[in-house]
Structures are given as structure tokens and as C-alpha cells.
Amino acid sequence: MAAPLLDRHGRPPGVLRLSLTARCNLACPYCLPDDRDPPGLLSTGERVALVTAAVGLGVHSLRLTGGEPLLHPRLEELIAALRPLRDAGGLREIALTSNGSLLSAERAHALRAAGLDRITLSLDGADGASVARMAGFGASAAAPGQGDALLARVLAAIEHARAAGFDPSSGQLKLNSVIARGRNDDQLLPLAALARERGLELRLIEFMDVGSRNGWSPEQVLPAAEMVRRIGARWPLEPLGRPSHGTASRWRYRDGGGAADQGNGPGGSHLAVVASISAPFCGDCNRLRVTADGMAYTCLFASSGTDLKPVLRGGPAGPDAAGLSNVLAALWRQRADRYSEERSTALAYGASPTSTRPQPHAEMAYLGG
Ligand code: SAM
Ligand code: SF4
């Protein structure tokens, strides 16, 4: 039997985050996407070849992301083409992260029918003004109304996904919220209430220093422990821990969550926090990221990627499967990234936030989170 593929810190690959576009219909200030894609976007066939090679090396979960992945016109076709990999058992799940604003009832059904297993929708506020601020709608008098409309679309998207069969009580439908101190930390309790009422697990994410445009500073990070303390003071929580290779620490509401009263199932009985800044989890990180134009990154904070296009486009009859597998394996073997842990140590010793970051620094909407 072949030796397991491990990186230089002994970590196996497990999750592939595949970005389908760097474009987005929103402009969240903590992310700041591009308004156009880079040249050389991968085709559906190239993406399938890439996922096939990654699964051959031990990747078991695929997360489709962006930019906004629902802007990808052939998303359902891609998922359907990947389905045999999942049906064969190597790939355990195909998941999607979306801002939800474009998720109609028809699209939710089409995604489910194509073979999508899980959707995480992102929403950073529970009222129009907060949603507008976090979605980058500016400060005009029209912004709160636009925020109300976006909030209504995301709330409708939750119900479309539920109706299409994404079951929150089995973790198939969740809510992501980025929390930044002084920007939307007043939304913690309203967002928790919104998720509890709808039977959804809420995943609170610390504002991260991905990219170089979002003006990150440590003062804007509300530590996950503080988020849990504030929510726990209203609805007592008990810790469940962080699963191995997981990004989120999970908590259970002692009262069972609000959903039981609403007939929405038990998904809202849990809260999760992603403490990538205050409690980094580099030690067992198993994520590989590939951008829409085929650049592979072994860390969200890596300074450079590896262009997979030469091997994806290398063979006369399409992707060079053996070459692709060799390149990915070599990339993984030399992986030594543990940037979040290094940042924590450097900041603890008084380093300035910008000096802790490798340069250049790829943007979040390009990497896909
Ligand atoms: N557009 C989709 C969405 O918003 O869900 C998918 C792409 S987005 C880059 C993936 C996730 O990353 C979202 O949940 C988003 O909130 C999160 N995110 C983006 N920038 C972030 C940052 N600077 N810190 C923490 N999370 C961030
Ligand atoms: Fe778009 Fe998602 Fe970035 Fe917001 S976080 S700008 S929704 S890609």
C-alpha cells in the first residue's frame, strides 16, 4: 500500500475549496471582490479532472465557492459532472458557499437535483442598515432600503434551500456571518435569534486579514470567545469542541434552540465559531484551495500559488491526469504553511500587523475563503 500523502507538518489533504469566479454581485468591505475575472478560467472538464486528481490523493470534501459561485452559469452542469466521483465514494460531499442573493426556488431545486449536498449562506446582519453596511452598499439614503431587500432575498433563499431538500438538522443548510468589532458586533444576538428561529446552525467567523485591501487590524477582531460569551449570556451554551480538521468549534444551546417551538427542526440548537485569528487551527488544516483560473494555494494567507493550467492543458486529448496528480502531490508534500499560528506568535511579541503578513497577499474573493 502506498504511504499516505502528508505535508511537512504531517497533515493529510482532505478538503478542496474550488473557486468558480472571483466576481461578485456584492462588495462586502471585508472581502472587496474584483469586478472581472482573471483570464484563463478553467473549463468544466478541467475542473472535473482537477477534483478527480485531488480525490485520488485523499481529498474527500469539495467546497464550491467564489466570488459568488451562483454567478457561474454552468454550476449545475459542473456539479452533475462531479456526481459520479461522489457516488463512487471517494468524494463524500459537494458543498457550496454563497451569499444567497441569487438563490431562487428553481435554482435551489436544480442544484439539489444536480447532486449538491450542502449549502452555507452568508449573512452578516439581521436588519437592513446592518446588511447594507456589511454588503458594501455605501452610505446613501437608499442603502438601508437596499439592505432590507437583500435581507429579504437571503431569508427567502433559506426557505428555497429548505424546500429543495437541504435539511438544516443534518447540517445541509447553515448560515455564515463574519463579525467585525465596531461594524456589526451589535448583530450577534439578532443573528443568533434569526438562526435559532429558522432552525439553522449559525457559524460566526472572526474578521480575517486575507488580502491587502480590507483595512484589517487586530482591533477590529472580536474574539470568538467573546462572541460565545455574549450569546451564552442570553442563551446558555455548552461546548462540543472542534472536530479534528474542522475550522469551527461548536456549541449547543442548553434550551435546545428556538427552532423546536417553530417546527423547524433541531439545526438551530447549535452555534459554531471560526476562531482563525484568536485560536488558529493550522495544526490540523487539511485544505487545498484552487482559484477560478487554476492557481493552487496551500494556505488562505499564502503569498503565491502554483499554476495548474500547464498540466490541466498539457495533454493532446485534454488534461494530463498523471502529470496533474504528480504536481498536486509534490505541492502538498512541500507544504509548510502555518501562517495564522505564526501571526499569533508575532503579534504576541509586539510585531505590527502588516509586518506579520507574507507579500503579495491574494484577495479573499480570488481564493474563495
Ligand atoms: N460569495 C460567497 C459568500 O459570501 O458566501 C462565497 C465566497 S466568500 C469569499 C466565502 C466566505 O468567506 C463567506 O462566508 C464570507 O463571509 C467569508 N469572508 C470573506 N472575507 C472574509 C474575511 N476577511 N474574514 C473572514 N471571513 C471572510
Ligand atoms: Fe461577495 Fe462573498 Fe466577498 Fe461578500 S464575501 S463580497 S458576498 S464574495
Side-chain angles (χ1 to χ4, degrees), residues 134-155:
M134 298 306 285
F137 288 164
S140 77
Q146 292 169 338
D148 280 329
L150 175 59
L151 175 60
R153 286 207 302 278
V154 180
L155 295 181

PDB file of all heavy atoms in Angstrom, residues 134-155:
ATOM      1  N   MET A 134     -22.601  45.856   5.664  1.00  0.00           N
ATOM      2  CA  MET A 134     -21.695  44.713   5.504  1.00  0.00           C
ATOM      3  C   MET A 134     -21.632  44.226   4.056  1.00  0.00           C
ATOM      4  O   MET A 134     -20.704  43.506   3.693  1.00  0.00           O
ATOM      5  CB  MET A 134     -22.122  43.571   6.435  1.00  0.00           C
ATOM      6  CG  MET A 134     -22.061  43.913   7.902  1.00  0.00           C
ATOM      7  SD  MET A 134     -20.443  44.536   8.446  1.00  0.00           S
ATOM      8  CE  MET A 134     -19.483  43.034   8.488  1.00  0.00           C
ATOM      9  N   ALA A 135     -22.624  44.596   3.245  1.00  0.00           N
ATOM     10  CA  ALA A 135     -22.594  44.168   1.839  1.00  0.00           C
ATOM     11  C   ALA A 135     -21.960  45.242   0.947  1.00  0.00           C
ATOM     12  O   ALA A 135     -21.885  45.067  -0.260  1.00  0.00           O
ATOM     13  CB  ALA A 135     -24.001  43.836   1.358  1.00  0.00           C
ATOM     14  N   GLY A 136     -21.555  46.371   1.546  1.00  0.00           N
ATOM     15  CA  GLY A 136     -20.865  47.398   0.780  1.00  0.00           C
ATOM     16  C   GLY A 136     -21.790  48.263  -0.054  1.00  0.00           C
ATOM     17  O   GLY A 136     -21.409  48.707  -1.142  1.00  0.00           O
ATOM     18  N   PHE A 137     -23.011  48.538   0.446  1.00  0.00           N
ATOM     19  CA  PHE A 137     -23.957  49.345  -0.321  1.00  0.00           C
ATOM     20  C   PHE A 137     -23.721  50.855  -0.178  1.00  0.00           C
ATOM     21  O   PHE A 137     -24.487  51.653  -0.701  1.00  0.00           O
ATOM     22  CB  PHE A 137     -25.400  49.024   0.075  1.00  0.00           C
ATOM     23  CG  PHE A 137     -25.870  47.667  -0.407  1.00  0.00           C
ATOM     24  CD1 PHE A 137     -27.010  47.084   0.131  1.00  0.00           C
ATOM     25  CD2 PHE A 137     -25.184  46.985  -1.393  1.00  0.00           C
ATOM     26  CE1 PHE A 137     -27.458  45.842  -0.311  1.00  0.00           C
ATOM     27  CE2 PHE A 137     -25.610  45.743  -1.844  1.00  0.00           C
ATOM     28  CZ  PHE A 137     -26.751  45.169  -1.296  1.00  0.00           C
ATOM     29  N   GLY A 138     -22.702  51.254   0.576  1.00  0.00           N
ATOM     30  CA  GLY A 138     -22.392  52.677   0.688  1.00  0.00           C
ATOM     31  C   GLY A 138     -23.267  53.371   1.719  1.00  0.00           C
ATOM     32  O   GLY A 138     -24.025  52.724   2.461  1.00  0.00           O
ATOM     33  N   ALA A 139     -23.170  54.708   1.742  1.00  0.00           N
ATOM     34  CA  ALA A 139     -23.821  55.465   2.816  1.00  0.00           C
ATOM     35  C   ALA A 139     -24.976  56.314   2.308  1.00  0.00           C
ATOM     36  O   ALA A 139     -25.452  57.202   3.001  1.00  0.00           O
ATOM     37  CB  ALA A 139     -22.781  56.345   3.498  1.00  0.00           C
ATOM     38  N   SER A 140     -25.452  56.047   1.079  1.00  0.00           N
ATOM     39  CA  SER A 140     -26.535  56.880   0.556  1.00  0.00           C
ATOM     40  C   SER A 140     -27.834  56.595   1.313  1.00  0.00           C
ATOM     41  O   SER A 140     -27.954  55.578   2.003  1.00  0.00           O
ATOM     42  CB  SER A 140     -26.738  56.591  -0.936  1.00  0.00           C
ATOM     43  OG  SER A 140     -27.431  55.365  -1.067  1.00  0.00           O
ATOM     44  N   ALA A 141     -28.816  57.495   1.116  1.00  0.00           N
ATOM     45  CA  ALA A 141     -30.096  57.325   1.806  1.00  0.00           C
ATOM     46  C   ALA A 141     -30.806  56.062   1.344  1.00  0.00           C
ATOM     47  O   ALA A 141     -31.650  55.500   2.052  1.00  0.00           O
ATOM     48  CB  ALA A 141     -30.972  58.551   1.543  1.00  0.00           C
ATOM     49  N   ALA A 142     -30.445  55.574   0.136  1.00  0.00           N
ATOM     50  CA  ALA A 142     -31.116  54.380  -0.406  1.00  0.00           C
ATOM     51  C   ALA A 142     -30.564  53.081   0.193  1.00  0.00           C
ATOM     52  O   ALA A 142     -31.190  52.029   0.072  1.00  0.00           O
ATOM     53  CB  ALA A 142     -30.951  54.342  -1.931  1.00  0.00           C
ATOM     54  N   ALA A 143     -29.367  53.165   0.832  1.00  0.00           N
ATOM     55  CA  ALA A 143     -28.676  51.931   1.241  1.00  0.00           C
ATOM     56  C   ALA A 143     -29.508  51.050   2.197  1.00  0.00           C
ATOM     57  O   ALA A 143     -29.615  49.835   1.965  1.00  0.00           O
ATOM     58  CB  ALA A 143     -27.319  52.270   1.844  1.00  0.00           C
ATOM     59  N   PRO A 144     -30.131  51.632   3.261  1.00  0.00           N
ATOM     60  CA  PRO A 144     -30.882  50.745   4.161  1.00  0.00           C
ATOM     61  C   PRO A 144     -32.009  49.995   3.442  1.00  0.00           C
ATOM     62  O   PRO A 144     -32.253  48.815   3.720  1.00  0.00           O
ATOM     63  CB  PRO A 144     -31.446  51.701   5.224  1.00  0.00           C
ATOM     64  CG  PRO A 144     -30.510  52.870   5.197  1.00  0.00           C
ATOM     65  CD  PRO A 144     -30.071  53.011   3.779  1.00  0.00           C
ATOM     66  N   GLY A 145     -32.651  50.676   2.475  1.00  0.00           N
ATOM     67  CA  GLY A 145     -33.713  50.008   1.709  1.00  0.00           C
ATOM     68  C   GLY A 145     -33.138  48.869   0.873  1.00  0.00           C
ATOM     69  O   GLY A 145     -33.724  47.788   0.777  1.00  0.00           O
ATOM     70  N   GLN A 146     -31.947  49.122   0.303  1.00  0.00           N
ATOM     71  CA  GLN A 146     -31.294  48.048  -0.463  1.00  0.00           C
ATOM     72  C   GLN A 146     -30.906  46.900   0.466  1.00  0.00           C
ATOM     73  O   GLN A 146     -30.980  45.723   0.104  1.00  0.00           O
ATOM     74  CB  GLN A 146     -30.034  48.580  -1.159  1.00  0.00           C
ATOM     75  CG  GLN A 146     -30.348  49.581  -2.259  1.00  0.00           C
ATOM     76  CD  GLN A 146     -29.086  50.286  -2.752  1.00  0.00           C
ATOM     77  OE1 GLN A 146     -28.081  50.359  -2.064  1.00  0.00           O
ATOM     78  NE2 GLN A 146     -29.157  50.828  -3.947  1.00  0.00           N
ATOM     79  N   GLY A 147     -30.504  47.263   1.683  1.00  0.00           N
ATOM     80  CA  GLY A 147     -30.169  46.234   2.673  1.00  0.00           C
ATOM     81  C   GLY A 147     -31.391  45.417   3.045  1.00  0.00           C
ATOM     82  O   GLY A 147     -31.324  44.181   3.155  1.00  0.00           O
ATOM     83  N   ASP A 148     -32.533  46.096   3.211  1.00  0.00           N
ATOM     84  CA  ASP A 148     -33.786  45.372   3.506  1.00  0.00           C
ATOM     85  C   ASP A 148     -34.093  44.371   2.397  1.00  0.00           C
ATOM     86  O   ASP A 148     -34.488  43.228   2.657  1.00  0.00           O
ATOM     87  CB  ASP A 148     -34.968  46.353   3.608  1.00  0.00           C
ATOM     88  CG  ASP A 148     -35.025  47.050   4.955  1.00  0.00           C
ATOM     89  OD1 ASP A 148     -34.606  46.431   5.955  1.00  0.00           O
ATOM     90  OD2 ASP A 148     -35.467  48.221   5.000  1.00  0.00           O
ATOM     91  N   ALA A 149     -33.922  44.839   1.142  1.00  0.00           N
ATOM     92  CA  ALA A 149     -34.250  43.964   0.004  1.00  0.00           C
ATOM     93  C   ALA A 149     -33.312  42.765  -0.038  1.00  0.00           C
ATOM     94  O   ALA A 149     -33.738  41.627  -0.289  1.00  0.00           O
ATOM     95  CB  ALA A 149     -34.151  44.763  -1.304  1.00  0.00           C
ATOM     96  N   LEU A 150     -32.001  42.992   0.250  1.00  0.00           N
ATOM     97  CA  LEU A 150     -31.054  41.873   0.244  1.00  0.00           C
ATOM     98  C   LEU A 150     -31.382  40.892   1.373  1.00  0.00           C
ATOM     99  O   LEU A 150     -31.400  39.668   1.174  1.00  0.00           O
ATOM    100  CB  LEU A 150     -29.616  42.397   0.390  1.00  0.00           C
ATOM    101  CG  LEU A 150     -28.536  41.320   0.514  1.00  0.00           C
ATOM    102  CD1 LEU A 150     -28.522  40.383  -0.699  1.00  0.00           C
ATOM    103  CD2 LEU A 150     -27.140  41.963   0.682  1.00  0.00           C
ATOM    104  N   LEU A 151     -31.687  41.447   2.544  1.00  0.00           N
ATOM    105  CA  LEU A 151     -32.042  40.573   3.676  1.00  0.00           C
ATOM    106  C   LEU A 151     -33.247  39.705   3.308  1.00  0.00           C
ATOM    107  O   LEU A 151     -33.257  38.489   3.549  1.00  0.00           O
ATOM    108  CB  LEU A 151     -32.353  41.442   4.908  1.00  0.00           C
ATOM    109  CG  LEU A 151     -32.856  40.728   6.154  1.00  0.00           C
ATOM    110  CD1 LEU A 151     -31.838  39.698   6.655  1.00  0.00           C
ATOM    111  CD2 LEU A 151     -33.152  41.740   7.276  1.00  0.00           C
ATOM    112  N   ALA A 152     -34.252  40.334   2.672  1.00  0.00           N
ATOM    113  CA  ALA A 152     -35.453  39.564   2.290  1.00  0.00           C
ATOM    114  C   ALA A 152     -35.085  38.460   1.296  1.00  0.00           C
ATOM    115  O   ALA A 152     -35.600  37.340   1.379  1.00  0.00           O
ATOM    116  CB  ALA A 152     -36.497  40.507   1.681  1.00  0.00           C
ATOM    117  N   ARG A 153     -34.157  38.768   0.375  1.00  0.00           N
ATOM    118  CA  ARG A 153     -33.769  37.744  -0.621  1.00  0.00           C
ATOM    119  C   ARG A 153     -33.030  36.583   0.056  1.00  0.00           C
ATOM    120  O   ARG A 153     -33.234  35.418  -0.284  1.00  0.00           O
ATOM    121  CB  ARG A 153     -32.881  38.354  -1.711  1.00  0.00           C
ATOM    122  CG  ARG A 153     -33.645  39.229  -2.699  1.00  0.00           C
ATOM    123  CD  ARG A 153     -32.969  39.289  -4.062  1.00  0.00           C
ATOM    124  NE  ARG A 153     -31.603  39.783  -4.029  1.00  0.00           N
ATOM    125  CZ  ARG A 153     -31.256  41.059  -3.997  1.00  0.00           C
ATOM    126  NH1 ARG A 153     -32.191  41.999  -3.970  1.00  0.00           N
ATOM    127  NH2 ARG A 153     -29.995  41.432  -3.999  1.00  0.00           N
ATOM    128  N   VAL A 154     -32.169  36.899   1.025  1.00  0.00           N
ATOM    129  CA  VAL A 154     -31.416  35.821   1.683  1.00  0.00           C
ATOM    130  C   VAL A 154     -32.363  34.984   2.559  1.00  0.00           C
ATOM    131  O   VAL A 154     -32.263  33.751   2.591  1.00  0.00           O
ATOM    132  CB  VAL A 154     -30.230  36.385   2.504  1.00  0.00           C
ATOM    133  CG1 VAL A 154     -29.455  35.251   3.178  1.00  0.00           C
ATOM    134  CG2 VAL A 154     -29.292  37.185   1.605  1.00  0.00           C
ATOM    135  N   LEU A 155     -33.298  35.649   3.230  1.00  0.00           N
ATOM    136  CA  LEU A 155     -34.258  34.882   4.044  1.00  0.00           C
ATOM    137  C   LEU A 155     -35.112  33.984   3.146  1.00  0.00           C
ATOM    138  O   LEU A 155     -35.411  32.836   3.493  1.00  0.00           O
ATOM    139  CB  LEU A 155     -35.146  35.821   4.869  1.00  0.00           C
ATOM    140  CG  LEU A 155     -34.393  36.640   5.936  1.00  0.00           C
ATOM    141  CD1 LEU A 155     -35.365  37.522   6.731  1.00  0.00           C
ATOM    142  CD2 LEU A 155     -33.600  35.745   6.885  1.00  0.00           C
TER     143      LEU A 155
END
